[in-house]
Amino acid sequence: SFSAPNSIISLLHNLSNCVLLSESKTDGSFLIHHFLSFFLKGTCKVCFLGLVQSFSHYSTVGINMLQAREKGQLVFFEGLRNSLDMLLPESDASDAEPQPLSFLRWPSTDLRNLFDFVNSSLSQSENDMSRWASPVLLIDDLSVLLSLGVNPTAVLDFIHYCRMAVCSKQQGNMVTLVHNEDDLGDEDCDLVLHALTHQSSLILQVHGLNTGYCRDVHGQDKFQLKRDHTHVFQYKVHDKGVSFFAPGTSSAVL
């Protein structure tokens, strides 16, 4: 039977989950925006590792991220700016303290500093626990770390420690976007994607349409809850959101 994606996603309020988002032949970033809005509106404490876009990019999707950050609900890590600071430091002052992306200057370094950033960002005081719901880690997108030369074992170790700290210890949620490059033969990306597929309790696979561009249908989503069958939907991305519908029920068909 047809089940709305929002009702599936709403389960995240009651469970600690690892959610995997994968994109193939399309841009799946709208799902990151969807989850970001969902968790901020649900008063969750959010740590957002934005590795591909700036803060201003995400803040244009109808969510008051600036307000959320100012009141301590949102911690945003801007990977683009941090990468530039690491590669072109203005001084040696940054050497005195650990940097989340230290591996860019010292290739032998693992992702321990990035994990420490996540862990400290989501560690809640008694005051935080009374103000915010369960913590959430959002990553957009994990494939960037592989592109920057981090080996897949280090990436999976990082995810493991994040999962233990956020999902197991704090009963929170973790949402990770990864490219699906099956047709390009990217072994590192395939390895990470395969491992996360087995570790995730909810998997959302976004695919572009085989028929190409369509004004009323932008792509297809597959939702799979662990130990459950797959739910298939189509979607259309709007300026400030996304609508899901059963295949063949878009306005272009009905």
Side-chain angles (χ1 to χ4, degrees):
S1 61
F2 179 76
S3 177
N6 282 337
S7 67
I8 296 175
I9 294 174
S10 66
L11 293 172
L12 300 179
H13 269 317
N14 304 315
L15 302 170
S16 56
N17 287 277
C18 292
V19 180
L20 172 63
L21 313 178
S22 72
E23 57 183 15
S24 176
K25 300 178 182 178
T26 190
D27 180 7
S29 62
F30 70 90
L31 283 175
I32 288 289
H33 298 151
H34 190 72
F35 275 101
L36 179 61
S37 175
F38 175 81
F39 285 120
L40 289 180
K41 290 177 180 176
T43 67
C44 294
K45 177 72 178 285
V46 178
C47 175
F48 187 2
L49 300 184
L51 302 178
V52 292
Q53 299 288 355
S54 66
F55 181 86
S56 58
H57 167 83
Y58 295 106
S59 63
T60 61
V61 295
I63 309 165
N64 197 334
M65 289 177 57
L66 185 60
Q67 184 183 67
R69 186 170 66 174
E70 288 176 347
K71 64 184 182 181
Q73 183 187 6
L74 171 67
V75 177
F76 182 81
F77 177 75
E78 192 159 339
L80 293 175
R81 178 177 296 176
N82 194 270
S83 298
L84 186 62
D85 290 343
M86 287 302 303
L87 294 172
L88 300 172
E90 295 182 0
S91 68
D92 293 332
S94 61
D95 293 348
E97 58 184 48
Q99 299 295 315
L101 298 186
S102 56
F103 66 86
L104 290 174
R105 293 182 67 185
W106 299 281
S108 60
T109 309
D110 55 23
L111 298 176
R112 186 186 307 269
N113 289 342
L114 187 58
F115 166 73
D116 288 342
F117 173 84
V118 170
N119 196 34
S120 62
S121 297
L122 291 178
S123 294
Q124 301 194 76
S125 64
E126 289 187 10
N127 182 52
D128 286 336
M129 293 176 70
S130 64
R131 294 181 66 194
W132 312 121
S134 57
V136 175
L137 171 61
L138 281 176
I139 305 176
D140 181 22
D141 72 49
L142 196 67
S143 308
V144 170
L145 296 177
L146 296 171
S147 300
L148 292 174
V150 182
N151 70 66
T153 301
V155 171
L156 291 174
D157 284 345
F158 167 69
I159 291 296
H160 169 75
Y161 283 109
C162 287
R163 190 172 73 251
M164 292 300 102
V166 178
C167 300
S168 298
K169 184 178 179 180
Q170 300 196 61
Q171 299 299 299
N173 292 285
M174 197 165 116
V175 180
T176 306
L177 177 66
V178 182
H179 284 302
N180 184 350
E181 307 287 6
D182 279 344
D183 56 334
L184 298 181
D186 188 330
E187 293 183 2
D188 288 350
C189 194
D190 289 346
L191 176 63
V192 169
L193 185 62
H194 182 73
L196 293 185
T197 298
H198 287 282
Q199 298 170 9
S200 300
S201 47
L202 175 61
I203 303 167
L204 285 75
Q205 300 172 309
V206 186
H207 300 271
L209 295 174
N210 292 330
T211 54
Y213 174 77
C214 175
R215 185 182 65 182
D216 296 290
V217 183
H218 291 164
Q220 180 169 284
D221 246 329
K222 291 183 179 179
F223 289 69
Q224 183 177 6
L225 288 166
K226 208 161 194 176
R227 297 179 296 276
D228 191 12
H229 64 281
T230 300
H231 306 264
V232 179
F233 305 94
Q234 291 179 332
Y235 67 87
K236 180 178 181 179
V237 179
H238 308 283
D239 289 339
K240 293 186 177 181
V242 56
S243 57
F244 298 95
F245 40 85
T249 62
S250 74
S251 58
V253 177
L254 298 178

